[in-house]
Amino acid sequence: MTCGRQNQRRAGLALAAAAALLLAGCGQSAETKGADGAKGGAAAGASPSSSSSASAKASVAPLGPGEVRVGGEVAKPYSVTLADLRKLPQASVEVKFTSAKGEQRHTYQGVPLHDVLKTAEPRFDAAKKNGQLRGFVSATGGGDYRAVFAWAEIDPGFAKSQVLLAVSEDGVAFDDAAGPRLVVPQDTKGGRYVSELNQLWVGVVDPVVDGAK
């Protein structure tokens, strides 16, 4: 009986040991798979992110020579060229301003900036009184030159003069590759006469002002 019990005990210990080894092996296999899965998951997670980033970059097509991108807080972003602007109703304005070259006097012909931006349908808050007065426009030109306008400066409902996207100066057409030029009749200096214009970005001040509280 003693011998039988010892044999049973030994068999039980052997069975327990085998089970422990089996469980350890399964645990190690599961752990290894989990690590591979984590790596695989990270790779998979990185891939869509990288792909999305690449897609986002790809979706912003590079601008052609003389092309102007209109975007920002607008419903219908688009791009426009000098050739497109020449097909639109034109306005003419005589201006005088000072620059690094001294006093300048010119006659420009072009399209009102308000008309170009209105086509993109700026998203101003209609629930707020005169919500468009919270808007602004950033104009970027060659060499990363940039100037900012309040919306009221370009909206004929508020402003007396028209900011133009000029297609010609003194009767001489701008080169298509150079793009249009901003003309700001109300300015006494030429700093906001942005040349080689390539981007018009519409924004609202609310996120900046409210975020500063």
Side-chain angles (χ1 to χ4, degrees), residues 109-129:
Q109 186 174 24
V111 179
L113 176 59
H114 182 261
D115 291 351
V116 174
L117 296 177
K118 187 172 60 176
T119 300
E121 298 183 8
R123 291 190 293 230
F124 299 133
D125 191 347
K128 291 182 170 62
K129 183 178 179 180

Side-chain angles (χ1 to χ4, degrees), residues 26-73:
C26 289
Q28 184 176 4
S29 175
E31 183 180 357
T32 303
K33 183 176 180 181
D36 292 341
K39 291 180 182 178
S47 179
S49 175
S50 301
S51 177
S52 298
S53 178
S55 298
K57 291 179 180 178
S59 66
V60 181
L63 291 172
E67 189 174 11
V68 180
R69 179 176 290 124
V70 183
E73 291 297 321

Side-chain angles (χ1 to χ4, degrees), residues 68-205:
V68 180
R69 179 176 290 124
V70 183
E73 291 297 321
V74 298
K76 297 179 179 179
Y78 74 108
S79 61
V80 64
T81 64
L82 271 175
D84 297 326
L85 293 172
R86 293 190 186 103
K87 298 174 184 176
L88 300 175
Q90 304 287 301
S92 182
V93 62
E94 294 182 3
V95 299
K96 180 177 72 172
F97 60 91
T98 59
S99 72
K101 297 179 181 179
E103 185 177 274
Q104 303 285 316
R105 291 176 180 266
H106 297 290
T107 299
Y108 289 100
Q109 186 174 24
V111 179
L113 176 59
H114 182 261
D115 291 351
V116 174
L117 296 177
K118 187 172 60 176
T119 300
E121 298 183 8
R123 291 190 293 230
F124 299 133
D125 191 347
K128 291 182 170 62
K129 183 178 179 180
N130 289 329
Q132 68 270 40
L133 297 185
R134 300 165 182 255
F136 64 91
V137 179
S138 170
T140 304
D144 194 34
Y145 189 85
R146 185 165 290 161
V148 176
F149 299 79
W151 185 263
E153 293 182 87
I154 66 171
D155 189 332
F158 296 94
K160 289 184 178 181
S161 61
Q162 293 188 108
V163 179
L164 293 185
L165 278 183
V167 299
S168 67
E169 180 185 74
D170 300 328
V172 179
F174 291 133
D175 185 87
D176 283 353
R181 183 182 189 186
L182 272 183
V183 173
V184 194
Q186 66 266 37
D187 284 8
T188 58
K189 291 189 176 182
R192 295 198 297 179
Y193 280 61
V194 182
S195 300
E196 299 179 6
L197 188 70
N198 55 55
Q199 184 184 60
L200 292 166
W201 193 91
V202 180
V204 291
V205 300

